Amino acid sequence: MEELFEKLKENRDSGMYPLHMPGHKRQPCGSLPAELYGLDITEIDGFDNLHQPEGILLRMMQEAAGLYGAEESFYLVNGSTAGILSAVSAVLPRGGHILMARNCHKSAYHAAYLRNLRVTYLYPDLFPEFDIFDKIGPEQVQRKLEEEPDIGAVLLVSPTYEGRIQDIRALAETVHEKGIPLIVDEAHGAHLGFGGLPVENSCRAGADLVIHSVHKTLPALTQSALLHVNGNLVDRRKLRRFLQIYQTSSPSYLLMAGIDNALQFVKRDGAEAFRRFESLYDDMMRKLNACRCLKILPWDRKRQDIGKLVVSVKGTGISGRGLYDLLRERYQLQPEMASESFVLAMFTVNDAQEGYERMTRALLEIDRRLAEQGTQGTLSEKTACVPEYGTECQPECAVPLPEAWDMDVTEAELEASIGKCAGEFVNLYPPGVPVLVPGECFSAQLCRSVKNWVKAGLTVQGVRVQDDKIYVKILTDR
Ligand SMILES: Cc1ncc(COP(=O)(O)O)c(C=O)c1O
């Protein structure tokens, strides 16, 4: 039963007058649905406290832990962002040394900044043809841990934004041989292992801390997430402390009821719902095999997550943005994102059959037209360098991130910045994985790529475009 939601309704209908926050006093305001206001409360009697849970919230978190195979789970109302900040902060002392995947979300970099961490990067292999980050092997992790014996924790991403899955079991063993914790940013994998899905979640695979954005791949409200902990390598007192620091003192009960609802749905209807999901997704992927121009990232079950649909436009004559716009404008289909060379669409357990059918029809039709037209466009088989993905483009770091991000910056034209140190993060959004970190040097190759991305209409954060000129922030005294 969705206990919290039921209690919120009871409270709304109880006749108790709210002489407390929030200021809307459970009355509608403007045109947002009245239902939202009626259910939105703060910590009042009987509703427990997220930062010191003893009642209903504790029970809900214990249930979440049971479902995921964790010793303890924490509800997050500030997304996986809060979980990553807290996990990284809890496992390392100020000034500690972290080994982390370069394709980490920006929140991992923010944690490194806040805790003044030294960062060593793991550059994942590149998935051929698609220019996306792929796997990090246990040997690579072991080598780094041997080279840098003061590393105190490892942070990996699995599944990646595009759905690549790491062998967490093998990686956890390698990390544990050094007696240090493994954090897995599994923001895109809150559904893993449910209803017979083929990949287990990272709590069960041996990770010490695992972060799930419930809102990304399960039917929950935006911002809702979970942090799980296992084993004795994590100081749980510190973990709780950092959760208090990084999370609001006024957590939304609607968001928390949304997490509970999603998990109750998994328990109650998961077996059937995930079977249906698998069948619909599989059917779409098999039909899309007929594409002759567009290339679809294959679903190989163990290494590629269900739900992600990555469509490469390489060699077709249109750009990723071109395909994205076509899907939106001609077919009324809103993809998750476009890169220079692919489009990413997401399907979850909550998609209607219609979504699969419309996407399949649209892609097959676009593919047919591309085949008829031939490849007269400008996008070559090998796209311009994509340094956020290319292992050959590992930026040189001149000033460590925590120091660099506090230094004075000056704005410079992109071309004049070659060889200079970045004063701001540069990232493509989504997903917000940095391509250049404050203190790292602009290279000619990166500048070319930034120009291409801006020209291709992609969202590049950390740059300003004015009158066809691109400006970036560089460190003033470097
Ligand atoms: C890999 C990864 N980790 C973490 C996050 C942050 O998640 P949230 O938006 O729930 O804070 C994102 C967001 O896109 C992400 O892609």
Side-chain angles (χ1 to χ4, degrees):
M1 187 185 79
E2 289 94 355
E3 193 186 342
L4 181 55
F5 181 55
E6 292 303 320
K7 251 177 102 67
L8 290 172
K9 282 196 293 189
E10 262 169 43
N11 179 65
R12 178 195 58 194
D13 302 334
S14 67
M16 185 77 81
Y17 187 87
L19 293 168
H20 57 77
M21 294 180 279
H24 57 63
K25 301 295 185 127
R26 288 198 260 115
Q27 298 302 313
C29 172
S31 16
L32 278 185
E35 183 84 347
L36 286 178
Y37 294 98
L39 297 172
D40 182 41
I41 57 153
T42 182
E43 292 95 343
I44 51 175
D45 291 62
F47 283 89
D48 211 357
N49 185 314
L50 182 64
H51 295 291
Q52 201 175 337
E54 291 165 349
I56 184 168
L57 297 181
L58 181 63
R59 280 200 302 283
M60 281 160 46
M61 292 195 271
Q62 285 168 341
E63 239 191 300
L67 188 63
Y68 283 95
E71 286 163 14
E72 270 190 280
S73 295
F74 300 89
Y75 270 32
L76 305 174
V77 290
N78 186 21
S80 284
T81 295
I84 293 166
L85 289 170
S86 304
V88 171
S89 302
V91 294
L92 288 162
R94 210 185 291 272
H97 189 173
I98 188 165
L99 178 62
M100 71 183 217
R102 180 69 193 203
N103 56 337
C104 277
H105 181 252
K106 58 186 176 180
S107 53
Y109 294 80
H110 295 168
Y113 165 75
L114 288 169
R115 297 287 287 161
N116 193 24
L117 301 181
R118 194 176 145 212
V119 183
T120 297
Y121 296 111
L122 289 160
Y123 280 83
D125 294 343
L126 206 58
F127 189 88
E129 290 188 69
F130 283 81
D131 292 337
I132 57 173
F133 276 134
D134 192 11
K135 71 172 197 312
I136 292 175
E139 353 35 79
Q140 194 189 349
V141 174
Q142 190 173 26
R143 207 168 38 247
K144 286 281 185 202
L145 292 177
E146 272 158 19
E147 282 166 16
E148 311 266 2
D150 67 335
I151 287 171
V154 179
L155 170 59
L156 301 172
V157 185
S158 179
T160 62
Y161 185 60
E162 297 87 4
R164 303 307 294 162
I165 292 173
Q166 305 291 344
D167 181 353
I168 296 298
R169 211 162 257 278
L171 289 156
E173 266 175 36
T174 303
V175 174
H176 289 158
E177 273 165 24
K178 294 280 165 195
I180 59 173
L182 171 65
I183 307 169
V184 179
D185 170 358
E186 205 162 80
H188 288 271
H191 59 292
L192 291 187
F194 288 153
L197 291 183
V199 180
E200 63 190 347
N201 82 66
S202 292
C203 301
R204 297 193 193 277
D208 303 271
L209 285 157
V210 179
I211 299 105
H212 285 139
S213 282
V214 190
H215 71 92
K216 290 194 197 302
T217 60
L218 288 178
L221 298 172
T222 297
Q223 282 188 218
S224 54
L226 288 165
L227 168 66
H228 312 280
V229 57
N230 270 329
N232 54 14
L233 294 174
V234 179
D235 180 336
R236 305 209 186 168
R237 192 176 61 94
K238 273 198 185 165
L239 188 63
R240 286 193 167 77
R241 179 196 303 161
F242 283 107
L243 283 168
Q244 293 205 20
I245 293 174
Y246 295 130
Q247 295 223 87
T248 172
S249 59
S250 310
S252 159
Y253 278 79
L254 280 176
L255 293 186
M256 294 191 282
I259 299 177
D260 185 37
N261 279 8
L263 302 189
Q264 297 302 336
F265 157 78
V266 169
K267 278 186 157 181
R268 194 182 52 236
D269 305 322
E272 175 53 30
F274 281 99
R275 242 193 321 275
R276 176 182 167 276
F277 177 25
E278 202 171 339
S279 155
L280 287 167
Y281 179 75
D282 191 37
D283 186 49
M284 175 180 70
M285 296 303 268
R286 277 190 294 103
K287 287 182 177 144
L288 291 177
N289 273 338
C291 286
R292 286 176 291 162
C293 298
L294 299 171
K295 289 190 195 74
I296 313 292
L297 187 67
W299 184 36
D300 61 12
R301 283 184 160 79
K302 283 276 175 201
R303 298 295 326 283
Q304 175 64 23
D305 188 24
I306 187 171
K308 296 283 160 72
L309 174 57
V310 183
V311 186
S312 167
V313 294
K314 274 194 182 181
T316 63
I318 56 167
S319 65
R321 185 73 212 189
L323 176 60
Y324 178 99
D325 289 344
L326 255 181
L327 287 166
R328 268 179 52 80
E329 287 156 21
R330 192 175 300 162
Y331 299 94
Q332 295 276 292
L333 291 163
Q334 171 66 64
E336 163 70 20
M337 66 88 82
S339 84
E340 213 179 350
S341 62
F342 65 83
V343 164
L344 171 64
M346 279 180 69
F347 292 85
T348 76
V349 67
N350 233 31
D351 269 288
Q353 184 166 350
E354 182 199 348
Y356 295 93
E357 289 173 353
R358 284 176 54 184
M359 186 61 164
T360 307
R361 267 202 309 276
L363 288 177
L364 289 175
E365 189 176 297
I366 293 169
D367 186 74
R368 203 183 54 244
R369 288 188 187 187
L370 287 169
E372 283 162 9
Q373 284 164 14
T375 56
Q376 305 143 353
T378 51
L379 200 72
S380 66
E381 193 52 47
K382 179 134 186 53
T383 52
C385 170
V386 277
E388 85 273 33
Y389 297 126
T391 45
E392 75 279 12
C393 313
Q394 302 177 3
E396 183 196 330
C397 175
V399 185
L401 161 66
E403 216 181 299
W405 215 12
D406 279 344
M407 291 168 84
D408 289 339
V409 297
T410 311
E411 198 169 65
E413 261 195 59
L414 181 64
E415 249 125 45
S417 72
I418 295 171
K420 301 269 193 315
C421 289
E424 254 308 332
F425 284 95
V426 178
N427 35 264
L428 275 173
Y429 194 86
V433 172
V435 292
L436 201 66
V437 171
E440 291 179 343
C441 303
F442 280 96
S443 65
Q445 201 172 35
L446 178 81
C447 290
R448 264 198 309 278
S449 295
V450 169
K451 263 192 165 142
N452 287 344
W453 297 330
V454 170
K455 211 163 103 198
L458 306 180
T459 306
V460 190
Q461 293 180 328
V463 311
R464 187 172 70 82
V465 183
Q466 191 178 1
D467 302 332
D468 286 339
K469 290 209 167 92
I470 302 172
Y471 299 90
V472 293
K473 296 267 180 6
I474 56 170
L475 298 184
T476 309
D477 298 324
R478 286 284 174 156

